[in-house]
Amino acid sequence: MKKPTIFTLVFYFLVALFFLRGVVFSPGVILGGDWALPSTLVQMQRYFQSGFYTWTDRSLLGNQQSFLNSLPFQVLIGFLAKLGIAGEVYIKLLLVFVFVFPALTMFWLCQFLGCQKKVSVFGGLLYITLSFFFNYAAIGWFLVLFSMGVLPLSLIFFIKSVKEKKISFSILTGFLYSLAMVQSQSLVWYPLVYFSFAFFLIKTKKDFLVYLKSLLVVFLVFLGMNAFWHLPLFFSGSSGILDTKFGLSSVSLGTWARLSNLNILRAWGSLFNYQYESSYPKALIPLSFLLPFLAYLSLFFLRKKREVYSLVFLSFVSIVLFKLGPGFIARLPFSDLIRDVARFSVISSFSYVVLITMLLNFMFRDKRKQLKIIGVICCILLIINAYPFWMGGLFGELKHGYDVRLRAYKFPEENVFLEKTLMKEGEDIKSLYLPMGSVLRTADDKRFYGLYGGMSDIFAHYSPKRGGTGVSGREMGSAANLTFKLAERIDNQQFDNLSKLLSLMNVKYVVARKNIDCPYGVPGKKVISSLNKKVDIVLKKEWDKIFLFENNNFLPHFYIPQDIVYSSGEKSLFDIVGLGDYSLRSGVYLKNEKIETKNEKEKIKNKEVLKRANRLFIKAELENIIGMDYFKKKEEFKNSMPFPYVKHKPGSLGWKMAKLKEEYGEWKLRKKPEKLLDKKLFYAGKRISELNRWVTDNEAEDLILGAHQKKIVEAIELIRSMVVKDNQMVEIRDNMVIKIRAYWERHKEKVESVYSRGELKYNENVAERMEEWWGGFERLDGKIKPLEKKFDLRNLEYNFEIPEKGHYSLFIKSTGKLIELTDLVVEEDEETLSLNGFQTRDSEWANLGEREFKEGGHKLTLRLPELENLVVDDWQKVEKTRIKKQGVTFFPQGFFPATQNLVFQKINGWQSNNFYYLTFDYKSKGGSLGFGILEERVKFQRGEEIVKIEKMLEKSLVGTESENWSKFETIVKSDPDVLGAQVCFWSVSSPNQLAKVDFKNLRIYKIIQPEVALYINKERNKAKTEMPKITFIKINPTKYKIRVEGAKEPYTLVFSESFHRGWKLYLKEIPNNKLQITNSNLQKLRGWGMRMVGKTASKITGVFLKNKGYGEETASYFNGDIKERVHKMTFLEPATFETWTEKPIVEDRHYLINNYANSWYITPQDTSGKENYELIVEFWPQRLFYMGLFISGTTLISCLGYLGSNYVKKRIFL
Amino acid sequence: MKKFLIIFKRHHWYSLFLFTVGIFFDICFLKFTSSLFILFLVFLWIWTVIDWQLEGKFSIFGGLILLIVSPFLLILKKDPIAEKVAAWVYVFLATGVIQQLIELKMGKKLE
């Protein structure tokens, strides 16, 4: 490998500086589209430390770290932090480095392959001006660029290892391959390159053996070096991490949207964000094909060179994977690591660059002058092709909103002050950063606003007192459910009982930022003012833009609850903390019915918990509920509905054959109703696609209409004939009904859009056919309605299951203003509780009294008084509209609704996040009626300036030729943070007709669906037990020690970290503990092996390091019942292996508590009757990391030893 | 069928003509992608290559010509056609590469 001259280095450096001039020379930290590096020394230190643990304490509730492959990078960041290089300087240097390094390595590769120096320099430049380089740099994925920088170097060593038959080069290749694993896709990219070069390297049988030997060494080194993350990933039982089919997730599938033959050919579409492609001028489009053209031109001029074929094979990888499709990729083993095909464009790009450089080299070496001139022209054109780089596209303006670029941002200094304030806190606590989520949208800097514009919340993610929340449920594990629910409440500005809820999460501080907007555009200011109104969340410190609140209701990381609350419903946590006599030191067990029906162990657990719970909370299920879920599901179904491509004209032989095939497809699924329904609805959608294509063909349309109706009717019959045995089946059936309703609505909309297409000439015939469709949809509507849940606005029916006989208090809660109740009927004995005039306040549980309930299922009905109509006859005047009392008549003449055909009025008392029922009577002749609701919302607020927008919430056209009055009814949900709304009606006439459209009896009611709960406080069990005292200490994020004193009776230990089976509890100081456990021989052997490893490791570590004690007390709670000692971050000490010789205790009573946390129910029998002892809580997969790290370290030392000895031999003996 | 094959062999320009028409039809008129039709055309091309004893560079040349055509189709806003052309670029290149490898292997002229 030839050394680069200073000129080459300086050249690449200057080019990189020029490309990045807009961010490198701007003040502030560089932020990518969706990634950011830690910026302060504290953050860098946190980032470095987290690389060594299989459990991360960087996220709010903690989660398993399955992919520890970034450790080398984290070590680098830690090293820089030790040197004191932090902030914008190191990020800028790093960014420049990921440009210079790949250019340099490509320069080396080209020279290695025999190219001239000048051509190789150009090759390096070409490499860093490709589209993938632009996109990954702009999004901030520097590690991809680093990995692609290592690739040429690794290839040089690999070729050398085979050609020179030297193991030292194979070791170096393996070492570089391991290093490139900081980007997980390198796992596949690198072997692909090695395999494709087999053609170049293998000429004889002997070569084949040498190649195999080299490859074997490379993989052995790779496996050994990466054992530190391989072992925890593959052997910690991380199901749900590697088999999630992540490649089929919407995020991954989004990248497929940019893939096409054309884009793959020119190595475009590496990211959904499409930054390079958006910046590429249209005038230069032909130039974008120059890259593949020149690359494949080498097949002409260099057809005798073997390496050309290896590179051409490599360039085909993307297209082959693209043709195989996402389903195939998802089926591959460990596909989560490979994820999406778009990222393979880096491989094609790599091969293109090498091929082009080799071709240019041929041109410049050739004696013919013409070829040299062509070579120069090609170079110039390739430089022009990099237009987006030269013109500053990397940091330039966005073209579409989603094509986010690099930006420099100077974080307010207050963030550092806050960091320092939190650093001073000695306790093991958490801090919640608002808004939750990983993306921040600044109100005072528009570059960081909008759907894709946000920046990564680095101060929350690397906070000294953790506060960040993850992006996906896959990352968050057991905490996902609670985190998402909490985020939803906060986004909707529902702060009631927040303090008590946060206490269960060990959150002591809440950080709110004035310049950061919440989702739905709620300004940070409003969040701060809402928090200021809270009694139990008090302002501790404030700066100009940042406000630090302290949670007065705080529970330490470990605690022993005095009250055990058992609840029948999974969603009850928010309700329970809002109860009047809720005690802070509580532990809440929520019954999960879904798990219980599948898992026998869960049933036993629930029975056990019910037995020792001293409070029961039963949430009644509203039978005729109209909730968020209904609308969410319906929207999801509507949005994911396919309208497949159709190729056979209805009536044709092909169509008839296709229908037969459809019948056969349905027959195959006859025993799977869910899938059969999907199939039937899919085929109904096919009919709509056919209408879209053959709308002008009368005969075809008749067939389509009939076939569509038939399919939907069949789907309805299928649901009707379903046998519903249990709750799960009820849920499945309900979902199917929502699905059919969603399809009905979407199909109707599509048919409307087909008939409103400009190309369609309107005549009587068309109008007639439209009427046929509307009539058909009405008939189907009539059939679907009986399947749907009946909702009665005034008589609300509730179901509940009483687990234990007793005197329960009946509670009721409703959102919105005061509501009035009439009476309550308990069906069991038809007893009526008269509640005339009883009122409840917004979001507060009101006690309706106490009564006895027997064990088992019960029903009750709540009768509400007459609901208030929110509209009156106050229509705004519109020309040519006759407004009469209790009704409006239109006389429109045009096809589109003109202003004179529109009436509107304000809806009184329209509030955020509420459901409204809307109904009216209508009739029309010669036209149809449309209606809509316009919501008023604040879009943007800066100081006194308020920009409002009006958003159409619901729009529907109701068309009929009937002379009779028809009734229309629907339910709509208001958006969060609305100021009010208006309802409007308009008319649309049929072509060439004078329409007469009437409507009357418009009623809009707010839907009141109070929540009903039953509660019992079994005081008899309380105060009998004496709680032990505990003192705990954090050793590191995967290990905690708890000293227990005075444990005379059974108790529950709660650990406020997200639940994971990997958390194990060990007991110290009980010598006969091992005797209690009986295992199979194999397990015994395994246990023996583990103990031996543990003992040996402990002895070896003891030579170098000493154990650290409990240290000073840092906090005390509940009159000294719980104490915290100074926490540590000890990665290694002799005591690290102390549990390896022990067996975990109470594994069968390790339960989920508080909807996310770990709890162990410990009895005196478990501790052999001892009252004072020490417990160790440890995350088991960390052991695998220690073992893996040992293997990695040994491999590294062995490799370095081998290389070193080789080097010394060479120097001394040769 | 036999008769057809005899005629086909005797007048081997039939295969080239059929392939040209087929590819033109697939690119310009077929609004969907039929794997079966593409496979048929690929076999027809292989047949043509064998029949006419065409060298690998012919296939590669065909691929490069289509590659040059693609951007102009994009400029003319014929995106679907350009997309199909791009697919054929890969077909030609893949065939060409295999042909060249066979040729070189037979001639043992690889470096």
Side-chain angles (χ1 to χ4, degrees), chain A residues 868-1140:
Chain A
E868 182 193 355
N869 188 3
L870 303 178
V871 283
V872 285
D873 269 345
D874 183 25
W875 294 106
Q876 298 293 306
K877 192 214 165 269
V878 176
E879 281 174 40
K880 289 188 182 179
T881 304
R882 188 147 42 97
I883 300 174
K884 49 192 183 182
K885 209 179 176 185
Q886 291 180 333
V888 177
T889 305
F890 289 111
F891 293 102
Q893 287 176 345
F895 180 71
F896 294 104
T899 49
Q900 63 264 34
N901 302 328
L902 200 141
V903 288
F904 60 94
Q905 70 162 297
K906 192 187 165 197
I907 306 171
N908 298 314
W910 185 269
Q911 295 167 322
S912 308
N913 289 325
N914 271 295
F915 293 99
Y916 292 89
Y917 169 75
L918 182 144
T919 181
F920 56 86
D921 299 325
Y922 68 96
K923 64 177 179 181
S924 65
K925 199 177 178 188
S928 58
L929 174 73
F931 86 89
I933 291 173
L934 295 167
E935 271 193 333
E936 201 178 340
R937 297 183 52 187
V938 175
K939 190 192 179 192
F940 190 72
Q941 189 169 10
R942 188 190 290 164
E944 295 302 307
E945 183 198 355
I946 300 174
V947 180
K948 290 178 187 173
I949 54 156
E950 286 186 332
K951 185 195 154 204
M952 184 69 82
L953 189 76
E954 185 85 24
K955 181 184 167 183
S956 176
L957 283 170
V958 188
T960 174
E961 280 299 307
S962 166
E963 274 295 320
N964 303 322
W965 287 98
S966 304
K967 188 179 179 182
F968 178 82
E969 52 185 354
T970 189
I971 287 162
V972 288
K973 186 189 167 280
S974 59
D975 278 358
D977 207 34
V978 293
L979 301 171
Q982 290 178 336
V983 61
C984 58
F985 283 85
W986 64 90
S987 64
V988 180
S989 67
S990 299
N992 307 320
Q993 284 202 40
L994 180 66
K996 186 175 180 291
V997 180
D998 292 68
F999 73 90
K1000 64 175 185 178
N1001 295 336
L1002 172 68
R1003 280 159 294 158
I1004 299 178
Y1005 300 124
K1006 183 183 158 191
I1007 297 175
I1008 298 166
Q1009 296 177 142
E1011 293 169 62
V1012 173
L1014 295 102
Y1015 178 64
I1016 185 167
N1017 185 353
K1018 300 191 287 180
E1019 291 290 333
R1020 61 182 185 276
N1021 287 351
K1022 205 188 160 188
K1024 277 182 187 172
T1025 51
E1026 197 181 311
M1027 295 292 149
K1029 290 183 177 181
I1030 58 168
T1031 306
F1032 71 93
I1033 177 178
K1034 176 183 176 180
I1035 308 294
N1036 63 45
T1038 59
K1039 190 175 178 181
Y1040 295 81
K1041 283 186 177 180
I1042 309 113
R1043 191 179 286 162
V1044 183
E1045 291 163 283
K1048 290 173 190 163
E1049 292 186 55
Y1051 65 95
T1052 303
L1053 179 72
V1054 178
F1055 173 40
S1056 296
E1057 199 71 24
S1058 105
F1059 181 86
H1060 195 288
R1061 284 267 164 232
W1063 284 110
K1064 305 280 179 194
L1065 188 69
Y1066 298 92
L1067 181 72
K1068 290 294 283 180
E1069 296 169 27
I1070 305 291
N1072 59 350
N1073 174 38
K1074 287 164 217 161
L1075 301 173
Q1076 298 170 6
I1077 299 140
T1078 51
N1079 272 323
S1080 69
N1081 286 337
L1082 185 67
Q1083 278 174 321
K1084 271 179 191 167
L1085 196 67
R1086 268 189 205 150
W1088 177 82
M1090 192 62 91
R1091 279 198 291 278
M1092 281 304 291
V1093 172
K1095 273 182 186 169
T1096 318
S1098 186
K1099 275 181 188 169
I1100 295 169
T1101 320
V1103 178
F1104 308 102
L1105 302 162
K1106 281 186 177 171
N1107 285 330
K1108 293 166 190 171
Y1110 266 71
E1112 295 293 311
E1113 186 179 306
T1114 183
S1116 175
Y1117 312 91
F1118 307 109
N1119 301 320
D1121 278 1
I1122 303 170
K1123 286 177 188 165
E1124 278 189 68
R1125 295 290 175 98
V1126 175
H1127 300 291
K1128 300 180 179 94
M1129 197 51 121
T1130 310
F1131 176 68
L1132 199 64
E1133 59 178 352
T1136 301
F1137 310 98
E1138 64 193 321
T1139 53
W1140 291 31

Side-chain angles (χ1 to χ4, degrees), chain A residues 199 261 265 303-304 309, chain B residues 83 87 90 100-101 104 111:
Chain A
F199 185 76
N261 296 325
L265 192 59
R303 67 173 190 276
K304 287 182 185 171
Y309 293 96
Chain B
E83 181 64 17
Y90 276 114
Q100 277 204 355
L101 283 176
L104 291 167
E111 281 175 9

Side-chain angles (χ1 to χ4, degrees), chain A residues 804-841:
Chain A
E804 227 177 66
K805 186 188 168 186
H807 281 84
Y808 288 80
S809 302
L810 212 54
F811 282 89
I812 191 160
K813 184 173 86 170
S814 179
T815 51
K817 53 182 186 177
L818 287 172
I819 66 154
E820 221 171 87
L821 307 171
T822 311
D823 49 34
L824 190 77
V825 182
V826 182
E827 206 174 80
E828 186 192 359
D829 43 14
E830 282 297 321
E831 185 189 333
T832 304
L833 256 159
S834 188
L835 301 162
N836 237 341
F838 189 92
Q839 292 183 330
T840 75
R841 281 190 183 281

Side-chain angles (χ1 to χ4, degrees), chain B residues 67-79:
Chain B
L67 211 156
I68 295 169
V69 169
S70 313
F72 296 102
L73 288 168
L74 279 182
I75 292 168
L76 295 170
K77 299 202 169 156
K78 303 281 180 198
D79 293 28

